[in-house]
Amino acid sequence: MTSPTPTPAPAPAPGAPPAWAELVGAALLGTERRSPPVAVRAGQSAAAALLDAAAVNTVRRRAALRPAPAGERPAPAPADPRPPLPPAARRRLSLLLADRGGTGGGSRRGTSPDLTELLPQWLTAADAHGYRAPDALLPALLDAARARTDLRPTALALAGPRARWLARFNDDWKFALRDTGGPASLPGAPEDVPRIWAEGLFAERSALLTAVRRRDPHAGLALLCTTWATERAEDRLVFLDALRDGLTAADEPFLEQALADRSRTVRAAAAELLAGLPGSALAARMARRAHACVGLDRLAEAGPAASPGAAGPAISVEAPHECDAQMQRDGVVPRAPSGRGERSWWLGQLVAAAPLDGWRERFGGRAPAAIVALPVAGDWRTELHDAWCRAAVHQRDADWARALLGAPTAPPQGTEAAPAGPARDLAKLLTILPADERARWVAEFIAAHGLSDAFRMLGVCAVPWAEPLGRAVIDALDIARDAGSYPWSFSGVMGLAERCLDPAAADRLDMLTALTDDPEGAAPGSVGYWSETFQRLVATLRLRATMLTELAPARPAQPDRPGHPAAPGRPIAPEPEGG
């Protein structure tokens, strides 16, 4: 088979260099299919002639370029006066950032700690000491925060103002510009506030409003009012959220006007903020509506003489029959979700937005626990108690939270032992209680019911878990091991334990790492799996203890006391190993 005859390329004008496009075309097709638009010397191949012409043309093209004007040099990075990390802690951060993809221990099998989950703990501890991140690690720290949103608050706090300066040069790091870096810091100088608010990107304006609001709530509201009418609906929604910091009665007139906003989501956000002001006019309107629907049964309240069949006082409920325009203006959503009755949907919104203090008077001065204990007529108990739960969380009312939580030893809601109980979000209610009380409640719950229903409750407890919570978790894990089940059923709780148990618990857990005989009826190999799981937990706790030691500020050397000279060549406080 003969080779095809090359197609001749258009010849350049006499004395003119070959066109760059023709050279590229000949190179892509090959000199066997297209003759290069250059002269081929005797003894020279067509391919060599093409490459020579391309080299000459490249020099000619580069020589013809005019240098572009230099861009404006960026302002220097701001100073960060915070102390640097101790050397061992710096090395630890470098290792954690390098392993954030999980290559060094992300697998849940084996006995090695999961370094991916240790990074959030390390950042929290470093921020507590007030350190600043090394400049060389800022890019890796910003990459880690970009990949994991849960790292952003602590990572950006450690990175400080230099990270926000650096983020201006990389679009992947623009999220850092939305963080103000602290309650009193501004993205620019105070005199730059009007310019940034008028000309800045949305992320810069959002950060500016948050910072101004934290410094001076009145000034933040005044800044927002200057452009409110011209903002986009999605931007108005985000800006409204910035008003949560320092929300006071002075914000009520502005929020009342926002109830008439053309955007439904903005109206709902304004209504939610007003509902958080117990003395607001909206709260009073919602209270009147809710109290008209819920109260003591009049016959039951009058006593057995008026109602012989009544066993005692009860709560009567008459849900609203319509959702009028005024209710909708105050944030009540008229359309119920699929599978939900309209009247119960409207009732729940009214009760959740009504101030909880008003129910004491409505029920004859009864305390929250006594009100919650009252029977509810009809099938309204679940709906009513759920709404009170949402109100307690929103209004941060600890007395109502305790009443709705009930005793930790009571049967969990939704079980056969408590079929009529409300579908309460216990984890959210627990966040209202002080940290020590929260830990005690969850510890008693675990002691009574085990770990199956305690995962979300454990997630809202302060870290490290205070006693007796840590002891209750360890005891429950020990019981699960003795029961012969596999540890995978408790992988979520075990992951929390690695992050939240006090590192001092490692010595107590050491005895659980031993291999024992399989208990009767145990799953095959379960004892070995539990031993491996406890070994990983112990290793993680000890590594956490080492990390905390590395972050501790170095103690200044004390002068030698008479008769107690320091050993030659040995430092008084040796630096811990950095891994």
Side-chain angles (χ1 to χ4, degrees):
M1 181 175 180
T2 59
S3 300
T5 303
T7 302
W20 179 256
E22 295 301 330
L23 293 173
V24 172
L28 291 175
L29 292 174
T31 55
E32 291 185 354
R33 298 180 61 188
R34 172 174 289 187
S35 298
V38 295
V40 181
R41 298 191 306 271
Q44 185 183 34
S45 67
L50 174 65
L51 292 177
D52 287 346
V56 173
N57 201 301
T58 298
V59 174
R60 183 181 294 115
R61 285 162 56 86
R62 291 177 178 175
L65 291 177
R66 293 183 177 181
E72 183 180 354
R73 178 175 295 181
D80 192 340
R82 295 176 297 171
L85 286 168
R90 175 181 174 136
R91 291 193 294 271
R92 180 70 62 190
L93 175 60
S94 180
L95 290 172
L96 294 176
L97 289 173
D99 194 70
R100 62 186 177 86
T103 57
S107 173
R108 300 313 299 154
R109 292 297 306 274
T111 60
S112 300
D114 185 355
L115 299 186
T116 303
E117 291 305 322
L118 287 175
L119 180 58
Q121 304 172 49
W122 188 97
L123 291 171
T124 300
D127 288 339
H129 285 289
Y131 292 125
R132 61 177 170 87
D135 295 341
L137 294 180
L138 288 179
L141 195 57
L142 286 169
D143 283 339
R146 175 176 176 263
R148 291 182 55 176
T149 56
D150 62 310
L151 294 178
R152 290 182 182 178
T154 51
L156 294 178
L158 181 72
R162 293 196 164 196
R164 293 192 296 278
W165 174 86
L166 194 60
R168 296 178 181 274
F169 307 102
N170 188 335
D171 289 340
D172 290 342
W173 300 333
K174 289 297 185 184
F175 67 88
L177 300 178
R178 295 192 292 271
D179 184 86
T180 61
S185 62
L186 293 173
E191 57 270 18
D192 293 334
V193 168
R195 178 187 60 79
I196 297 176
W197 182 249
E199 304 173 4
L201 300 173
F202 172 72
E204 296 172 321
R205 299 178 71 221
S206 178
L208 176 68
L209 179 61
T210 302
V212 173
R213 179 71 178 180
R214 289 173 177 175
R215 289 168 62 99
D216 185 347
H218 178 74
L221 178 62
L223 184 66
L224 180 58
C225 288
T226 59
T227 60
W228 176 258
T230 60
E231 301 288 355
R232 299 182 304 168
E234 54 268 32
D235 295 349
R236 293 198 303 274
L237 185 63
V238 175
F239 291 152
L240 266 186
D241 192 62
L243 298 184
R244 295 182 187 276
D245 285 327
L247 187 67
T248 66
D251 301 313
E252 184 178 357
F254 172 79
L255 294 174
E256 278 285 343
Q257 292 179 3
L259 291 177
D261 194 272
R262 57 187 179 274
S263 168
R264 181 180 62 83
T265 55
V266 173
R267 295 195 301 270
E272 181 187 358
L273 289 174
L274 284 169
L277 290 172
S280 68
L282 179 137
R285 294 194 296 268
M286 300 299 269
R288 285 195 298 269
R289 295 174 181 130
H291 293 177
C293 297
V294 180
L296 277 177
D297 183 275
R298 293 183 178 179
L299 293 178
E301 189 177 11
S307 180
I315 298 176
S316 64
V317 177
E318 180 66 27
H321 292 272
E322 65 172 343
C323 184
D324 57 35
Q326 292 302 314
M327 289 171 60
Q328 295 182 43
R329 180 183 182 274
D330 286 345
V332 178
V333 179
R335 186 173 181 178
S338 177
R340 184 83 176 272
E342 283 187 335
R343 296 182 65 199
S344 65
W345 171 245
W346 299 334
L347 174 71
Q349 294 179 77
L350 296 179
V351 174
L356 289 168
D357 289 342
W359 294 110
R360 293 176 181 264
E361 182 179 355
R362 180 64 175 158
F363 288 105
R366 287 178 172 85
I371 296 173
V372 170
L374 290 173
V376 181
D379 298 326
W380 294 104
R381 184 173 185 268
T382 297
E383 188 65 52
L384 181 61
H385 282 222
D386 282 353
W388 276 336
C389 285
R390 295 194 297 273
V393 172
H394 185 59
Q395 299 174 33
R396 314 298 296 176
D397 193 306
D399 289 337
W400 275 89
R402 294 185 185 98
L404 292 162
L405 281 167
T409 54
Q413 302 300 330
T415 63
E416 294 183 1
R424 308 170 192 172
D425 193 334
L426 301 183
K428 289 185 177 179
L429 288 172
L430 283 167
T431 62
I432 313 301
L433 304 182
D436 55 345
E437 182 180 356
R438 194 185 318 161
R440 288 195 303 271
W441 197 97
V442 178
E444 293 180 27
F445 182 93
I446 291 173
H449 309 295
L451 293 169
S452 299
D453 298 312
F455 177 73
R456 293 192 66 239
M457 303 179 202
L458 287 169
V460 300
C461 291
V463 178
W465 288 336
E467 295 299 346
L469 179 55
R471 184 169 58 253
V473 171
I474 294 175
D475 290 343
L477 290 173
D478 192 13
I479 292 172
R481 182 193 64 164
D482 292 341
S485 60
Y486 285 120
W488 308 314
S489 303
F490 304 92
S491 58
V493 173
M494 193 64 69
L496 283 176
E498 292 177 6
R499 299 190 294 272
C500 304
L501 270 176
D502 191 322
D507 292 339
R508 184 183 175 204
L509 282 162
D510 230 350
M511 65 182 68
L512 301 181
T513 62
L515 282 171
T516 59
D517 295 333
D518 289 337
E520 185 177 354
S526 63
V527 171
Y529 290 128
W530 274 107
S531 174
E532 179 183 279
T533 300
F534 282 125
Q535 288 179 55
R536 182 176 61 247
L537 177 56
V538 170
T540 301
L541 295 179
R542 287 179 173 158
L543 180 54
R544 284 176 54 204
T546 301
M547 286 165 37
L548 295 176
T549 302
E550 293 169 348
L551 284 166
R555 291 177 296 178
Q558 299 296 324
D560 297 342
R561 290 178 295 166
H564 294 81
R570 291 187 58 189
I572 294 179
E575 177 191 37
E577 294 182 2

